[in-house]
């Protein structure tokens, strides 16, 4: 009997050692066949001599324990999570905030595992309880399921009492296997490994979790000082010594923002080749004395933050298809969905263009859809996840009346139009367009204010904008306004009168005349009267002006109402001549990238100035970039510019560039 007991202990030791090499060191020490042989020998012995079976036997991992409900677990200290940030500027602000309290802080950088956090409690080195985070204070007891996770040590290398926190996750490989099985069994598929992991730990029968092949990555010890630990890096090393899988090959350290950004970029490169999903980088102040000084806000620790990678494509649910009326009367269906973070910002709507597009995509309200940012700016619906339909989705149906004025819609090519020129929505959209940045650039006359002024009767047509001073006293009385802001607005309206011809041409909202065409026409004809007199044939001869544009321009200037508007605007002293300032396109064809914090300019402000001079401002540096404007604490874009030999402009060079 003693021999048998000895052999069983020996087998357990061999299996545990193999698991340790495999999960903790990423370095398998025996073949799968050898592992299976040891394992089945142990199983056989355990079934023959059940009273010799040990409580910490690795065979317990196959599960089989069934509970009837999840017990509540109160965490000894709250299981918090970090605030999320999404871009370089927020990293800079985080670092600045930290340095106010801890000027010499450095950080640990860890991949942000995309699973769910779990707390494991060990007594004298033996796993006694595992719990979910729950609401942070009270979680659920999932010990039966966590015991099936092979990378969770049932027994530690030291006989200590300790709580360990980390991420329960499913590897990409196991996720694929799991969904393949579900497909065969005609069960609904999991959307991602995180949902699959969360669904698996919330199973009453642990043999289900065992089959799902979950994993655990340790990253946090709640009371590290108990073990003489002085830094987060030491916590991670200690976890590894105890027998936990940590991301020891990927975790890093950084002394400043530059190193943080380099780490992020590097990890982003490796991301697709990792065996598990990550969705960002977790930054923690390394020194635990610093950590203690920083403490917590009401909700979150101040000593750490989670940087989330820009999601390039995310899933959400289509809540509504909303039809909007544009300034030309064009009706656009729009997807309204639960807000999601895509490529660095929160979006909740995307255009669905027109009826044909909706029918082709077969969108239904209630569908799970994937969203991405086209050209990194405009959100678009990539795909409808038809396999996730429940049958309750509502099919798309095109409307036949204008949602604003009720007039019957008319189809022209792929689009429907409201042809009612008095349609209030069309008028409002026309006014918004007239005042916007790319057209007359009237500061203070944004979308909401135009709409309010329209509804209050102050601005019903374009010429009313230039008569707004007649309502000065009324405006000052409005909530949110005052003498100063009204004066600023009126001044901005006055200034817009001097804009060059191309601005007002674009602002008038002539169909098919966008920013570029307006410029071509203004340069060619110099005054609006010349343009009004131009024939359709003459217009067509101009480069970049095709028949459709020529026809539309001619149509616009043949309409009495439009000619009356132009006359009225002339009387109100609006300029209708092309102002050939070489300033206008001084930077035409040039592309700039901004990085780091500038003292004198806000990013948006400098972007506007550069764009007004004809330049483009983009977010990534390539060998076609004309220059990179570098502020304080520049990011990796600076390094890339140096590498590619792209011209660098410091803050003090900006004036020379733009003046
Ligand atoms: S530390 C006080 N480290 O991301 C926060 N979290 O907000 C302790 N996560 O909910 C968590 N990888 O589930 C930490 N290396 C890592 C992580 C990580 C993923 C998750 C965790 C938490 C959220 C961070």
């Amino acid at each position: 009997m003693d021999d048998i007991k000895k052999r069983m202990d020996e087998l357990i030791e061999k299996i545990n050692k193999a698991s340790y090499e495999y999960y903790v060191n990423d370095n398998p020490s025996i073949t799968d066949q050898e592992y299976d042989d040891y394992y089945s020998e142990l199983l056989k012995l355990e079934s023959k001599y059940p009273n010799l079976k040990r409580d910490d036997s690795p065979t317990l991992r196959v599960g089989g324990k069934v509970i009837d409900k999840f017990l509540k677990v109160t965490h000894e200290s709250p299981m918090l999570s970090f605030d999320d940030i999404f871009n370089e500027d927020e990293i800079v602000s985080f670092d600045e905030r930290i340095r106010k309290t801890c000027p010499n802080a450095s950080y640990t950088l860890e991949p942000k595992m995309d699973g769910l956090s779990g707390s494991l409690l060990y007594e004298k080195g033996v796993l006694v309880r595992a719990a979910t985070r729950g609401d942070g204070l009270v979680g659920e007891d999932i010990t039966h399921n966590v015991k099936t996770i092979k990378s969770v040590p049932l027994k530690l290398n030291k006989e200590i009492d300790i709580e360990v926190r980390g991420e329960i996750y499913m590897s990409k490989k196991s996720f694929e296997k799991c969904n393949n099985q579900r497909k065969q069994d005609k069960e609904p598929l999991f959307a991602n490994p995180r949902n699959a992991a969360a669904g698996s730990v919330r199973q009453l029968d642990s043999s289900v979790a065992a089959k799902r092949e979950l994993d655990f990555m340790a990253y946090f010890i709640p009371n590290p000082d108990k073990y003489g630990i002085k830094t987060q890096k030491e916590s991670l090393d200690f976890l590894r010594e105890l027998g936990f899988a940590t991301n020891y090959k990927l975790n890093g350290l950084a002394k400043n923002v530059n190193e943080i950004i380099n780490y992020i970029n590097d990890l982003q490169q490796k991301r697709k080749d990792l065996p598990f999903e990550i969705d960002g980088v977790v930054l923690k102040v390394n020194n635990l004395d610093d950590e203690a000084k920083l403490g917590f806000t009401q909700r979150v620790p101040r000593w750490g933050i989670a940087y989330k990678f820009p999601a390039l494509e995310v899933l959400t649910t289509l809540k509504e298809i909303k039809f909007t009326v544009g300034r030309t009367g064009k009706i656009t269906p729009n997807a309204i969905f639960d807000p999601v973070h895509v490529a660095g910002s929160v979006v909740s709507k995307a255009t669905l263009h027109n009826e044909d597009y909706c029918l082709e995509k077969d969108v239904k309200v209630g569908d799970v859809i994937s969203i991405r940012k086209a050209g990194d700016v405009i959100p678009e619906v990539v795909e409808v996840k038809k396999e996730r339909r429940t049958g309750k989705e509502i099919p798309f149906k095109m409307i036949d009346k204008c949602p604003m004025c009720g007039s019957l819609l008319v189809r022209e090519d792929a689009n429907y139009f409201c042809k009612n020129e008095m349609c209030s929505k069309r008028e409002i959209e026309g006014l918004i367009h007239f005042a916007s940045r790319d057209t007359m650039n009237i500061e203070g006359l944004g979308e909401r204010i135009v709409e309010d002024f329209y509804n209050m009767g102050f601005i019903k047509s374009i010429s009313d904008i230039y008569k707004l001073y007649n309502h000065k006293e009324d405006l000052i009385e409005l909530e949110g306004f005052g003498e100063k802001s009204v004066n600023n607005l009126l001044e901005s309206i006055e200034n817009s009168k001097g804009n060059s011809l191309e601005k007002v041409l674009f602002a008038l909202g002539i169909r098919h005349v966008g920013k570029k065409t307006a410029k071509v026409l203004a340069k060619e004809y110099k005054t609006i009267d010349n343009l009004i007199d131009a024939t359709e044939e003459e217009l067509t001869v101009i480069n970049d002006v095709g028949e459709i544009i020529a026809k539309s321009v001619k149509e616009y200037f043949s309409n009495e109402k439009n000619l009356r508007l132009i006359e009225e605007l002339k009387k109100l002293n609006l300029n209708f001549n092309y102002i050939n300032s070489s300033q206008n396109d001084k930077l035409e064809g040039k592309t700039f990238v901004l990085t780091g914090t500038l003292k004198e300019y806000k990013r948006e402000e400098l972007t506007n100035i550069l764009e007004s001079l004809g330049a483009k401002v983009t977010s990534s540096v390539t060998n076609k970039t004309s220059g990179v404007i570098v502020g304080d604490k520049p990011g990796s874009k600076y390094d890339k510019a140096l590498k590619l030999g792209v011209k660098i402009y410091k803050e003090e060079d900006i004036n020379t560039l733009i003046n």
Side-chain angles (χ1 to χ4, degrees), residues 321-327 329-334 336 349 351 353 398-399 402-404 409 416 418 425 429:
I321 296 178
K322 197 169 169 183
F323 295 89
T324 50
V325 190
R327 67 191 155 88
K330 188 176 138 189
I331 307 292
T332 309
N334 297 283
I336 310 292
K349 56 179 186 250
T351 177
H353 303 285
M398 189 62 203
I399 49 169
C402 171
M404 290 310 291
L409 302 179
Y416 284 81
C418 164
K425 192 70 196 313
E429 289 297 328

Side-chain angles (χ1 to χ4, degrees), residues 80-82 110-113 116-117 167 219 282 284 301 303 306:
L80 300 175
S81 56
F82 291 128
E110 302 163 36
K112 184 170 178 324
M113 303 294 297
L116 67 147
S117 45
E167 202 83 347
Y219 50 60
V282 176
K284 297 174 196 161
W303 42 265

